[in-house]
Amino acid sequence: MLAPLVLGFALVGAVHQGVPTEIEDGYYNGRSGDVIFMPSDLPDDTVMTLFGDRVTAETPRSISIKEVRDIVSQSFGLTGAREHSFVKDEVFNRPNLNFMLVVHGIGGDTISMHKLHNLMALVGNHPRIDLKDICYPRSPLSLSVTVTTGEMPAVHGIVADTWVDEGEKQTAYTNGNHASVANLADLTTQYFGDESLAISMSSSREEAFAFAPHTITKNSYTAFYDPKAKEFVFDHHASPELTWSFAATLKSIENSDVDQLWNRIKMNGGEVFYDDTLNSFVVKSGSSASSVHFRLNEEAEAAVFAELIYAKTLIKKLGTSTKFTSLMSDNTPDIISLSFRSPVLIGERYGYESKQYKATLNLFDSALPLLIHRLEELAQTSHVGELILMGSPVIIDKEAISGLEKHLSLESDSEFLPSLYVESGIDPAHTCKTLRMNLDAGTSGLKTFCPAEIRGEAGLESLIFASSSTSLGATAGTSSNITSEQLIKFQIVLWISLAAFFTLLAVVVSFGCMEYDRDTLLFSKRRIKEPGRSG
């Protein structure tokens, strides 16, 4: 019995020495890359802003990103790990709607650096909470899955949109590559049934699935942008009331209310309009700003306008359709998730100092306050809402990595950066160490980490933890990718249990050895019955 205890105790101080917590939280054995490049200075400006009439007056300054799911679920009266919620929990007045807007490629520092005054006012005038414990690599998808499941990639398993597993490219949310943990939509639809409305939207298919329930219900709708058809399509089933396409929108754009999205740009002396001769939207952010064209035949550029225009159209349709107004007026909680990936698409395509990225920021600065206002109008009763700015972009010196790969005669796909998968037949540990020695951290600003070293330790941890957890009733489906946090929790439970056991044993032995003639109330009845004693 003592052997596994000693081994387990020794692991607490030895887990992943020298490996940053961010990488440990983001590492999933068999999916994460053979090499991981991490900037020495990561942005730390992920921000959540709360809306609605159910938010308490006092909110914490910061929480872990893993706590977001519990905050929302507890507002609906569901169980959660948080001991105290800062959303009012009143049995007879719980919110009937939760809306969540997640924006990738924009953080708190982005707002101040680029002087996005509308977002600055929006965040400043409502409860703001900094989100901590952001994992690395910072794939937009893995961060979204963490928000909606309350677990890190080391547990939920979604490390990126795509990864390499045993030499084969895998895509998230296809062929069984789903998150291994229930998300917020799962909790809502499973607990409240088919009458609960669950809507998820994004220009990214994977992003839309991240916020959708695993099991499709009759009132769940997952919409994502199809760049070829230039329209939003639905998974499994669609409602005619929610369909949208660029063709239909552009046909009547002069008579539509789409321009409301850009009112704040117009107030600043700028303009946004559609140029049918070039099949592009033209954005002039201010009176002295130069014009930027967003061509609809370019996927990243079209995604910006597709996400913003459809988000507004979707909210309007939900508020005017008899079917959906009826669903939203009942007492069953509903959830609407809008995830915006286009700022990252533009930044990755043209650079985060490009005029396209800056114009995109101004479009979101103008549109997001309106979308939130419309969502609050949509809620017919009590509601809670969150705007999550997922943080400023992480800049990777891809040229430095590419040059080093050529120098070392390596072949890799830059699609997976900052993770690198070594081709089969090459020792990943040796390759990673070679890259670490040859990549100048001072010039590139990158540190090199070797997951092969993590795998070696993780294998030992999994073996010992699995053998111990078997006796504790470990359930099927538990991730074999054990983190130091799980090990520490195991140690706490283990030693508390042992202390309780030995305490109980001491009490039993003490009672068993106690003599009857001792003057104690526990044996008063026995003393009265014994002959020959006075008293």
Side-chain angles (χ1 to χ4, degrees):
M1 177 179 177
L2 292 177
L5 299 182
V6 173
L7 284 172
F9 182 75
L11 279 172
V12 176
V15 176
H16 300 342
Q17 290 184 355
V19 178
T21 303
E22 298 95 322
I23 289 183
E24 183 186 337
D25 288 339
Y27 176 79
Y28 193 90
N29 197 7
R31 293 184 178 180
S32 296
D34 300 308
V35 185
I36 298 177
F37 301 101
M38 186 174 79
S40 55
D41 186 19
L42 284 174
D44 183 24
D45 62 341
T46 303
V47 177
M48 178 172 69
T49 306
L50 300 176
F51 303 89
D53 55 355
R54 310 309 303 147
V55 181
T56 59
E58 296 182 1
T59 56
R61 297 183 62 180
S62 65
I63 61 172
S64 170
I65 190 174
K66 298 191 298 181
E67 297 183 85
V68 174
R69 188 192 78 161
D70 280 350
I71 292 170
V72 178
S73 64
Q74 285 177 253
S75 72
F76 283 157
L78 303 178
T79 58
R82 284 189 60 86
E83 185 175 348
H84 302 287
S85 175
F86 42 85
V87 175
K88 296 176 183 178
D89 185 8
E90 299 176 3
V91 176
F92 299 105
N93 191 25
R94 284 175 176 155
N96 281 353
L97 173 66
N98 182 89
F99 61 83
M100 179 181 291
L101 290 82
V102 177
V103 186
H104 295 282
I106 301 177
D109 293 344
T110 313
I111 294 176
S112 56
M113 183 184 305
H114 292 275
K115 296 181 173 59
L116 305 179
H117 298 294
N118 298 302
L119 284 178
M120 198 178 299
L122 187 69
V123 173
N125 293 331
H126 294 84
R128 162 184 170 153
I129 303 173
D130 295 333
L131 298 184
K132 302 299 182 181
D133 304 330
I134 311 299
C135 68
Y136 189 85
R138 293 189 178 176
S139 158
L141 181 61
S142 65
L143 294 178
S144 290
V145 178
T146 294
V147 164
T148 191
T149 64
E151 297 289 353
M152 292 295 184
V155 176
H156 64 61
I158 304 298
V159 297
D161 286 24
T162 57
W163 60 83
V164 175
D165 188 358
E166 297 183 352
E168 297 293 331
K169 181 179 177 180
Q170 303 290 334
T171 301
Y173 295 99
T174 59
N175 301 323
N177 292 323
H178 295 268
S180 59
V181 186
N183 64 20
L184 185 58
D186 289 322
L187 297 181
T188 306
T189 55
Q190 289 174 14
Y191 189 85
F192 296 104
D194 285 351
E195 296 306 313
S196 182
L197 180 65
I199 294 180
S200 173
M201 179 230 80
S202 177
S203 64
S204 162
R205 173 192 171 278
E206 293 75 26
E207 195 85 25
F209 272 82
F211 292 91
H214 288 71
T215 302
I216 302 301
T217 66
K218 69 176 183 179
N219 286 318
S220 63
Y221 300 91
T222 307
F224 52 93
Y225 181 64
D226 182 346
K228 294 182 179 179
K230 292 183 173 56
E231 64 182 10
F232 268 85
V233 296
F234 289 82
D235 176 63
H236 292 290
H237 64 273
S239 175
E241 296 98 324
L242 303 182
T243 57
W244 179 91
S245 68
F246 261 127
T249 299
L250 298 176
K251 187 176 181 180
S252 58
I253 194 167
E254 293 182 357
N255 299 321
S256 70
D257 57 1
V258 169
D259 279 355
Q260 293 177 359
L261 288 166
W262 332 124
N263 278 345
R264 288 170 172 81
I265 290 180
K266 294 178 180 179
M267 292 171 60
N268 196 36
E271 59 180 345
V272 179
F273 62 91
Y274 174 68
D275 186 340
D276 58 350
T277 60
L278 299 175
N279 191 28
S280 64
F281 278 91
V282 181
V283 178
K284 188 177 181 182
S285 301
S287 56
S288 59
S290 59
S291 297
V292 180
H293 289 259
F294 285 78
R295 298 160 293 178
L296 298 189
N297 59 344
E298 291 289 337
E299 183 175 344
E301 298 175 31
V304 176
F305 282 85
E307 285 185 332
L308 292 175
I309 294 177
Y310 182 61
K312 181 182 182 302
T313 305
L314 174 64
I315 297 169
K316 181 178 180 180
K317 289 184 174 184
L318 290 175
T320 55
S321 165
T322 303
K323 171 184 176 181
F324 290 104
T325 53
S326 175
L327 280 171
M328 299 186 70
S329 61
D330 61 16
N331 292 322
T332 306
D334 305 309
I335 183 167
I336 300 174
S337 304
L338 310 178
S339 181
F340 301 92
R341 180 82 75 90
S342 55
V344 171
L345 298 178
I346 291 294
E348 291 294 316
R349 176 70 183 275
Y350 299 106
Y352 290 99
E353 294 298 328
S354 65
K355 61 181 182 180
Q356 289 89 346
Y357 177 69
K358 293 177 181 179
T360 300
L361 293 181
N362 283 291
L363 289 170
F364 274 85
D365 182 51
S366 177
L368 286 177
L370 176 68
L371 295 178
I372 290 173
H373 178 66
R374 291 285 188 265
L375 283 166
E376 291 196 290
E377 288 183 337
L378 185 65
Q380 301 181 20
T381 55
S382 297
H383 65 280
V384 177
E386 306 87 31
L387 169 63
I388 300 178
L389 303 178
M390 201 59 84
S392 298
V394 177
I395 309 298
I396 300 292
D397 189 348
K398 295 183 178 181
E399 292 185 2
I401 298 173
S402 176
L404 185 58
E405 290 174 2
K406 294 178 181 177
H407 176 69
L408 297 175
S409 300
L410 293 173
E411 293 183 6
S412 65
D413 193 338
S414 61
E415 171 189 359
F416 303 108
L417 287 177
S419 296
L420 185 151
Y421 295 87
V422 177
E423 55 189 304
S424 60
I426 298 178
D427 181 13
H430 175 72
T431 301
C432 186
K433 291 177 182 178
T434 304
L435 287 168
R436 178 189 290 165
M437 289 187 296
N438 286 272
L439 184 63
D440 187 349
T443 304
S444 65
L446 297 173
K447 297 179 181 178
T448 307
F449 295 94
C450 305
E453 300 172 357
I454 304 177
R455 283 198 292 268
E457 296 175 359
L460 177 61
E461 293 161 16
S462 300
L463 177 64
I464 296 175
F465 191 85
S467 64
S468 302
S469 62
T470 301
S471 61
L472 297 175
T475 58
T478 301
S479 172
S480 62
N481 196 49
I482 306 304
T483 66
S484 60
E485 181 181 354
Q486 291 172 315
L487 281 172
I488 292 171
K489 289 179 180 178
F490 167 70
Q491 291 294 323
I492 293 172
V493 173
L494 175 64
W495 290 107
I496 291 176
S497 300
L498 285 174
F501 171 76
F502 284 115
T503 301
L504 178 61
L505 182 61
V507 171
V508 172
V509 171
S510 299
F511 276 114
C513 298
M514 186 174 289
E515 298 178 4
Y516 290 131
D517 58 353
R518 292 191 176 182
D519 189 13
T520 170
L521 291 175
L522 292 174
F523 296 97
S524 59
K525 291 184 179 180
R526 179 61 179 262
R527 288 201 309 270
I528 294 173
K529 292 180 180 179
E530 287 187 11
R533 289 196 57 172
S534 59

